Amino acid sequence: MKKLIFIVLFSMLFIFSCSTTDAPFEHRYVVSLVLKPDMKFQRAYVDSTYRLDAYIDSNVTGISGAEIFIVDNNSDTFRYSESDTLTGLYFSSDSFCVKYGMKYFVNVIVNGEEISREVQVPGSLTICAPQHLDTISLSDPPILIWNTCEKCFDNTYMIASYIEKDTLMFIPMLTPDTTMGIFYNRFLFEEKDTNYTVLVEAMDSNFFSYLKSSSIYEKLGDNNAIGLIGAMVFDTIRVWVQE
Amino acid sequence: MLCAFCLMFLVSQYNVVTGQVYDAATKERLPMVNIVIMGTEQGTVTDSDGYYSIIVGDTLNEFKLRYSMMGYGQITKDIKFSGREHLSVDIAMHMEPLKAQGILVTAKKEKFRNTASITPPSLSQKDLMMLPSFVEGDLMRTIEALPGVTKSSDFSTSISVRGGGPDQNMVLVDDVPLLNPFHLFGLVSAFNSNAVKSAELYVSGIPIKHDASLSSVLDIRTKGVDKEIKGLSGVASLSVLSGSMALGSNIPSLNSNFLLSVRRTYADKVLALFDYDLPYYFYDGYLHWETDIKDWSLVLSGYTGKDFLDIRDEDDESIRIISFDWGNEVAALNLYRSNTKGDLFHIYAGYSNHDFFLRVLDTLFLTDGNIDVGTIGTEYTKKYGDHEIAIGLNECYRPFEYNVNFNMGFEYSYSDIWSNRASIYAEDQYRLSENLLLLGGFSLTHYYSGSEEFDLTNQDYLRAYRLSAKYFFDDLRAVSFSFGNFHQYIVPGGSVMGNAGVDIPVYYWIPLGGEYDPEEAHHFNLGLEGWLKEDIYFSLEGYYRKYNRLLNMKGFEDIEVANEREYYESMLEEGDGRAYGFDCLLKKEIGNLRGWLSYSFLKTDVAFGDEAYPTDWDRNHNFHATLLALLGKKYEAGVQFAFCTGNPYTTDLARFRYRAEFLPYENKYCDPSWIELEGDKNQVRYPPYTRLDASLARSFYFGNNELDVKLSVYNILDSKNVFMYYYDYDEEPPVKEPFYMLPRIPSIELIYKF
């Protein structure tokens, strides 16, 4: 029996000594591109992953030389150009105007690798009530109401409120309805006699998946890339909140 | 003086037996030894010096005295008077293994002979009291040292048995299922040691009547009062976590006994004296009432437990940051009728309830749930020659209520979901020859689930089987094989505290309905067990488990949230799993130096969709050593050592700059931050897990009362067992920093028995 115990203990020590080491580095391209109607310029950012154990100068990240072009339903092609100020940042030209409800094909070519995704831009979105610059009394709060957004993925919206120019209480909330009693939640409006911005967003499927994902960035199709290529529409109102 | 005079007067009128009782090995005098005149209710106990005196009426000239004490063999002494006499009788008692008081699994040679599969490992109450504690004695933390049991972290008392998930163990309290039996987010279990009589952990050879969990059954029986104990007795204990009190008594006029036990944390009350508001406490309480009426034995038991967490805004106390409470309630009635032939008729009925309420940031997120369980059943066991046949019926009804409200705009409400499980079963254990014991069992279960709100109908007839055989080489050694299939009808729909990387076993439980069929597993076991000497037990059992239909909560990104129906129908994904390995146990059960060695080898993995990975609790090698020592009469010491493979985890493969959009209309990015890119799930392991715990207890005697002072140190070597890694970006390149599990934690317990 003693022999058996020694054999077991020795085997355990041997096996423990062969425990798996950390996995190797994995290179991926990282793309961030969100189409938004009514914006003068569309933006994109192209970067890659970096080693965790290597020194990286944060100021020199980003990949230049990428080719970004978007094709609409009419087969018109719009190209992005590289920013002079920030490596990896790309802008569309002012001739490209993203339209509500339109479908686009986004293509990014970086170091010879093509990353493409189809993007469905939702229809227009408008907050119906309360009105912009209204005064909200938390003791008798109104219901936030907006219109049904066509082609909005899963008929789901994201709502957020925050003090202007501040992200102090930026808590996004998802809802499948077109109403929300957001002003009933006093915690979101803890600071009184202040202007708050209330934001309602609708998204395409890519943006929605990214929003719900716990890993922040999604794998982009079959490509060796992660990030977000999607679309969103939104409306905001500014309201004065008092007790 | 007056007392002495009275005693002398009495002594002159009656027969008297006096003497002292001492330990045969150490010659130490033993206090608190029970001495009873057999056939009467008359008796006494030895004083703190081991002396006793018992006065007998002059009509009683010939009788037997019974001497008994926990941890010692019972002695019966014939006494005979030939007139008025004063007899001096000294008794030497011999230490022997505790049998009747066993708090955990009770494996005995009798059970070994009469069980057609490997007998479960056993621990006695004395062992439990002597084992080192984490803050205070905890049944679930004791069980983790048994073979086949693994864990994913020190922060939780939930266990995994032979590769099964923490949700795949059915916990029964007096035959009633109990969900989420934990306090303090899983850090301690809901079982107060003072209220638990016994617990059996079935890891193999699970009886056919239990077909409602995939992995194991923990069968807990609440405690009453021993019949020898007269008057009110009890235990009061105080640890750094809680204070508890157990009071019980025999009621001879009703042929009954009862035990009431309550426990509560007190830190909130103490800190309130210093104007500090601790927003958390828990309590629990047990009641056990036992009555014998002719051939019937009636056991009525109840449990209630609740945790409260209420964190409020410092500036405005009307605003709740987090408000969270959860708890269980159980009421159970068991009726037993037995006869001298060994036949047993058992009827049971019970109700349990698990509820929770969670409110985050005022009304931003509200969720509450309520799960009731009504169960009723009966079992009749009868011996026919070499057959022992058990037949039974079991009915279990579970209504669920579950509401989620997300800032008044996003609501789920499942208020009329229910499931019903009705089973009929039969089991025959047949001793084919002196050396061969066979067992076959079959059950048929009708499962039905439904909902008033949307179609959740699932009707199924499920069959379960048990087959086992045990071949005895001699009286001390046997080999056994067992097979069984198992079903599970409720699964966690996520943890109440979310998936924060910590296994917090406070689950939302949901019934399986609609397209979700009950989960199923098959177990195959092959084992060898016996005794090396009279007092050294060993077992070695290999196993293979196959999970054909596992259901797992999807990531939130994959769940459709438009309405209740879509949410329910898309929330679970189906997969497969398997587990295999072997468990070894070597245990010295009696003597002043006792203990056991256990080693478990385990491999377990699951596959959901395209992804296959080891489970979080896949510790391949698990070695535990436990040493218990009685140092004279007054000191007891315990040491526990664990050495296990590190748990699997998902490593980071790279990092990237995350540029979140600041606000959509401002068309600019926030300052970028580094984010890690995760690799495939659970492909690497933490360093090996080691932990050494130690305890020392000293007993003080005050007349018939006893005070135990127990010092424990959890993780005495302060081993740095990694719980998780994170990256510190204050330096470049970032430093991979470990977050460790529980450090060295000393604690003290005061246990006063009266």
Side-chain angles (χ1 to χ4, degrees):
Chain A
M1 197 62 204
K2 285 179 183 173
K3 284 181 183 173
L4 179 66
I5 295 169
F6 279 117
I7 290 168
V8 170
L9 288 174
F10 184 79
S11 304
M12 284 167 54
L13 291 172
F14 177 77
I15 294 164
F16 280 143
S17 68
C18 304
S19 53
T20 317
T21 54
D22 282 4
F25 167 71
E26 195 160 302
H27 178 269
R28 297 273 181 90
Y29 292 112
V30 182
V31 179
S32 176
L33 188 156
V34 180
L35 296 179
K36 287 177 276 189
D38 294 337
M39 304 298 284
K40 189 174 181 184
F41 297 103
Q42 302 295 321
R43 292 173 310 132
Y45 193 81
V46 181
D47 202 349
S48 72
T49 56
Y50 299 91
R51 294 194 72 92
L52 280 155
D53 55 357
Y55 178 85
I56 304 294
D57 183 349
S58 300
N59 298 317
V60 295
T61 56
I63 296 177
S64 64
E67 187 183 353
I68 301 174
F69 59 95
I70 291 176
V71 182
D72 66 13
N73 276 350
N74 303 321
S75 299
D76 292 329
T77 301
F78 304 93
R79 293 184 179 277
Y80 282 47
S81 52
E82 198 167 345
S83 164
D84 296 331
T85 55
L86 183 63
T87 308
L89 184 62
Y90 297 79
F91 283 100
S92 66
S93 66
D94 53 6
S95 63
F96 177 46
C97 181
V98 175
K99 293 173 183 161
Y100 289 105
M102 183 75 92
K103 193 176 281 184
Y104 294 93
F105 295 93
V106 176
N107 298 277
V108 178
I109 301 172
V110 51
N111 292 336
E113 185 149 351
E114 188 170 335
I115 303 154
S116 58
R117 280 214 122 173
E118 186 180 273
V119 174
Q120 171 67 63
V121 180
S124 65
L125 181 65
T126 307
I127 296 174
C128 308
Q131 300 298 311
H132 186 54
L133 303 180
D134 271 1
T135 295
I136 306 296
S137 169
L138 294 181
S139 56
D140 184 21
I143 300 290
L144 181 70
I145 303 170
W146 59 95
N147 70 303
T148 301
C149 177
E150 300 292 327
K151 297 176 182 173
C152 156
F153 181 72
D154 217 23
N155 296 314
T156 301
Y157 306 90
M158 194 196 80
I159 320 299
S161 70
Y162 49 91
I163 295 173
E164 205 160 336
K165 304 287 183 191
D166 196 346
T167 55
L168 178 70
M169 199 48 64
F170 190 93
I171 300 175
M173 295 160 282
L174 286 171
T175 178
D177 297 326
T178 54
T179 63
M180 182 181 273
I182 189 171
F183 300 108
Y184 284 91
N185 191 319
R186 302 176 76 85
F187 189 83
L188 295 175
F189 303 94
E190 201 175 358
E191 203 166 313
K192 313 295 185 308
D193 301 323
T194 305
N195 272 319
Y196 280 83
T197 297
V198 176
L199 166 75
V200 180
E201 285 182 8
M203 295 143 276
D204 76 324
S205 60
N206 303 338
F207 199 114
F208 191 73
S209 297
Y210 148 78
L211 198 72
K212 288 204 298 179
S213 168
S214 56
S215 57
I216 297 182
Y217 266 37
E218 288 293 271
K219 194 173 178 182
L220 292 174
D222 296 330
N223 300 103
N224 183 28
I226 56 172
L228 166 65
I229 297 176
M232 64 172 292
V233 299
F234 62 91
D235 192 19
T236 60
I237 54 169
R238 190 195 303 163
V239 292
W240 179 260
V241 173
Q242 62 187 34
E243 188 55 55
Chain B
M1 191 70 181
L2 183 64
C3 290
F5 178 78
C6 293
L7 186 62
M8 285 175 66
F9 176 76
L10 288 168
V11 164
S12 65
Q13 298 296 308
Y14 297 100
N15 294 323
V16 180
V17 184
T18 59
Q20 68 177 134
V21 183
Y22 56 91
D23 186 301
T26 65
K27 307 300 179 194
E28 279 192 76
R29 284 172 288 192
L30 299 176
M32 297 289 289
V33 176
N34 262 311
I35 305 163
V36 177
I37 300 174
M38 292 180 72
T40 73
E41 290 183 7
Q42 195 178 349
T44 186
V45 292
T46 54
D47 65 13
S48 57
D49 293 321
Y51 287 104
Y52 72 97
S53 173
I54 190 161
I55 299 167
V56 188
D58 56 0
T59 57
L60 197 60
N61 292 321
E62 198 170 342
F63 55 90
K64 289 177 190 290
L65 276 182
R66 188 180 67 204
Y67 300 80
S68 63
M69 184 184 183
M70 262 174 64
Y72 289 86
Q74 188 173 286
I75 290 176
T76 305
K77 187 82 177 172
D78 288 310
I79 304 292
K80 190 174 182 181
F81 289 107
S82 54
R84 282 180 197 156
E85 264 191 275
H86 180 171
L87 286 181
S88 178
V89 180
D90 293 341
I91 297 293
M93 297 187 77
H94 294 267
M95 203 172 271
E96 76 165 25
L98 298 168
K99 292 175 181 173
Q101 299 293 325
I103 193 168
L104 277 183
V105 198
T106 51
K108 301 173 188 168
K109 286 180 184 171
E110 188 66 19
K111 196 161 188 178
F112 161 74
R113 287 289 303 164
N114 294 311
T115 305
S117 56
I118 287 270
T119 45
S122 67
L123 293 171
S124 72
Q125 187 182 40
K126 192 75 176 172
D127 293 339
L128 178 64
M129 297 300 286
M130 291 167 65
L131 279 171
S133 306
F134 167 70
V135 188
E136 63 182 36
D138 193 310
L139 177 72
M140 299 303 282
R141 287 196 182 267
T142 305
I143 283 176
E144 73 181 62
L146 297 179
V149 178
T150 57
K151 296 182 65 171
S152 51
S153 86
D154 287 349
F155 295 113
S156 170
T157 51
S158 69
I159 55 169
S160 303
V161 178
R162 290 191 170 178
D167 58 296
Q168 293 169 1
N169 308 310
M170 183 166 65
V171 178
L172 297 170
V173 175
D174 291 335
D175 280 316
V176 179
L178 187 62
L179 300 174
N180 299 346
F182 304 101
H183 290 304
L184 205 57
F185 304 99
L187 203 60
V188 296
S189 79
F191 306 114
N192 181 349
S193 299
N194 292 333
V196 175
K197 175 186 173 189
S198 66
E200 287 188 310
L201 180 66
Y202 292 100
V203 298
S204 67
I206 299 173
I208 189 70
K209 68 177 180 181
H210 301 306
D211 182 36
S213 63
L214 294 187
S215 186
S216 75
V217 174
L218 181 60
D219 189 4
I220 294 170
R221 299 284 157 179
T222 57
K223 186 181 173 185
V225 176
D226 293 337
K227 286 192 166 53
E228 288 83 8
I229 296 176
K230 292 181 170 52
L232 198 65
S233 64
V235 178
S237 59
L238 187 71
S239 72
V240 293
L241 176 70
S242 70
S244 72
M245 169 75 85
L247 275 176
S249 178
N250 278 293
I251 308 173
S253 58
L254 298 175
N255 216 12
S256 305
N257 72 77
F258 77 93
L259 184 83
L260 177 66
S261 173
V262 292
R263 175 172 65 155
R264 191 192 187 282
T265 54
Y266 57 84
D268 57 318
K269 298 291 183 189
V270 173
L271 292 173
L273 299 175
F274 302 95
D275 290 330
Y276 183 83
D277 183 26
L278 181 71
Y280 174 81
Y281 70 94
F282 75 75
Y283 69 80
D284 56 41
Y286 289 83
L287 171 67
H288 179 101
W289 180 285
E290 199 171 324
T291 299
D292 292 331
I293 307 169
K294 293 185 179 175
D295 296 337
W296 289 88
S297 180
L298 178 153
V299 178
L300 181 66
S301 46
Y303 165 80
T304 180
K306 199 88 173 172
D307 284 59
F308 292 91
L309 175 70
D310 191 8
I311 303 174
R312 301 196 178 216
D313 191 302
E314 285 183 7
D315 300 324
D316 183 354
E317 286 212 335
S318 67
I319 295 176
R320 289 185 159 126
I321 309 292
I322 293 179
S323 181
F324 186 23
D325 61 76
W326 76 95
N328 284 290
E329 288 174 350
V330 174
L333 174 67
N334 282 272
L335 288 164
Y336 303 91
R337 186 176 192 273
S338 57
N339 60 23
T340 52
K341 297 175 186 171
D343 302 341
L344 179 67
F345 186 41
H346 178 200
I347 303 171
Y348 55 94
Y351 162 80
S352 77
N353 167 266
H354 170 68
D355 65 43
F356 61 88
F357 174 84
L358 173 62
R359 175 197 287 251
V360 180
L361 299 181
D362 201 12
T363 55
L364 178 69
F365 180 73
L366 280 167
T367 179
D368 65 271
N370 195 50
I371 304 170
D372 295 312
V373 182
T375 182
I376 186 166
T378 182
E379 185 179 82
Y380 183 60
T381 309
K382 185 161 182 64
K383 289 184 176 174
Y384 288 104
D386 293 324
H387 291 267
E388 184 175 322
I389 297 171
I391 55 170
L393 298 166
N394 179 274
E395 157 69 27
C396 184
Y397 175 70
R398 293 177 187 268
F400 290 74
E401 189 179 328
Y402 179 48
N403 302 297
V404 177
N405 185 316
F406 199 72
N407 201 40
M408 287 83 57
F410 193 54
E411 276 188 41
Y412 304 128
S413 178
Y414 306 114
S415 56
D416 290 302
I417 299 181
W418 53 271
S419 69
N420 193 74
R421 180 166 55 84
S423 304
I424 181 167
Y425 62 88
E427 197 168 64
D428 180 17
Q429 185 166 285
Y430 175 44
R431 190 171 290 278
L432 184 63
S433 69
E434 189 59 30
N435 289 3
L436 187 59
L437 191 60
L438 303 172
L439 181 140
F442 172 75
S443 81
L444 180 65
T445 298
H446 175 242
Y447 178 72
Y448 192 88
S449 65
S451 169
E452 296 292 324
E453 295 180 355
F454 53 93
D455 186 17
L456 252 181
T457 305
N458 185 319
Q459 181 168 229
D460 213 343
Y461 291 92
L462 298 137
R463 293 178 297 274
Y465 308 94
R466 300 286 185 277
L467 288 172
S468 56
K470 195 172 194 176
Y471 180 80
F472 296 87
F473 298 112
D474 51 41
D475 284 345
L476 295 177
R477 284 175 188 79
V479 63
S480 65
F481 168 79
S482 62
F483 160 79
N485 67 325
F486 301 84
H487 301 94
Q488 187 159 323
Y489 306 89
I490 61 169
V491 296
S495 169
V496 172
M497 295 302 289
N499 297 317
V502 185
D503 174 30
I504 296 173
V506 185
Y507 300 121
Y508 296 124
W509 292 91
I510 58 167
L512 296 177
E515 297 296 314
Y516 302 129
D517 289 326
E519 296 179 308
E520 188 176 31
H522 292 82
H523 297 186
F524 303 87
N525 308 295
L526 180 63
L528 177 70
E529 69 170 328
W531 275 263
L532 294 177
K533 294 179 182 174
E534 273 299 305
D535 61 343
I536 298 181
Y537 169 84
F538 76 92
S539 69
L540 169 65
E541 187 172 42
Y543 60 89
Y544 177 78
R545 292 180 169 191
K546 176 76 180 141
Y547 300 92
N548 301 324
R549 198 167 49 241
L550 283 176
L551 292 165
N552 190 38
M553 182 79 174
K554 288 180 186 171
F556 187 60
E557 62 272 26
D558 296 321
I559 300 175
E560 303 299 332
V561 295
N563 55 50
E564 285 93 342
R565 185 193 177 108
E566 279 192 12
Y567 186 87
Y568 182 88
E569 289 178 348
S570 65
M571 71 192 298
L572 300 174
E573 59 183 339
E574 191 173 314
D576 296 320
R578 63 176 179 161
Y580 58 90
F582 60 89
D583 298 330
C584 312
L585 177 68
L586 190 66
K587 186 176 183 190
K588 186 173 185 300
E589 299 203 305
I590 59 174
N592 287 352
L593 192 61
R594 289 176 268 158
W596 70 88
L597 300 172
S598 74
Y599 169 75
S600 297
F601 170 74
L602 163 71
K603 289 282 280 182
T604 177
D605 48 60
V606 291
F608 291 96
D610 299 332
E611 199 176 23
Y613 51 89
T615 58
D616 291 350
W617 47 90
D618 177 48
R619 283 181 174 172
N620 296 150
H621 305 276
N622 300 269
F623 173 73
H624 291 271
T626 302
L627 189 67
L628 305 162
L630 298 173
L631 309 172
K633 178 64 193 132
K634 294 178 179 172
Y635 288 95
E636 299 166 343
V639 176
Q640 226 176 357
F641 175 66
F643 182 48
C644 312
T645 311
N647 291 89
Y649 75 99
T650 305
T651 193
D652 299 312
L653 300 177
R655 56 176 166 152
F656 60 91
R657 301 284 274 172
Y658 173 57
R659 294 173 185 271
E661 306 239 346
F662 187 64
L663 290 171
Y665 58 87
E666 292 195 351
N667 210 11
K668 68 175 185 180
Y669 293 114
C670 293
D671 289 337
S673 58
W674 286 108
I675 298 289
E676 294 87 34
L677 176 70
E678 286 188 339
D680 292 336
K681 189 172 171 62
N682 286 353
Q683 296 304 309
V684 291
R685 290 184 181 277
Y686 294 119
Y689 174 97
T690 59
R691 202 187 75 223
L692 178 68
D693 309 330
S695 67
L696 181 66
R698 163 83 153 94
S699 299
F700 300 90
Y701 298 97
F702 307 98
N704 294 338
N705 304 332
E706 179 184 337
L707 173 67
D708 295 337
V709 180
K710 182 179 170 187
L711 297 169
S712 294
V713 185
Y714 186 86
N715 194 4
I716 195 167
L717 300 178
D718 202 19
S719 301
K720 305 294 185 190
N721 296 309
V722 178
F723 174 66
M724 60 175 285
Y725 288 111
Y726 65 94
Y727 283 91
D728 178 3
Y729 283 95
D730 288 342
E731 295 182 52
E732 184 57 43
V735 179
K736 187 177 183 179
E737 296 281 3
F739 182 82
Y740 297 115
M741 293 194 215
L742 294 173
R744 179 189 299 128
I745 300 177
S747 63
I748 183 167
E749 287 174 85
L750 304 176
I751 303 162
Y752 187 68
K753 301 169 187 171
F754 55 96

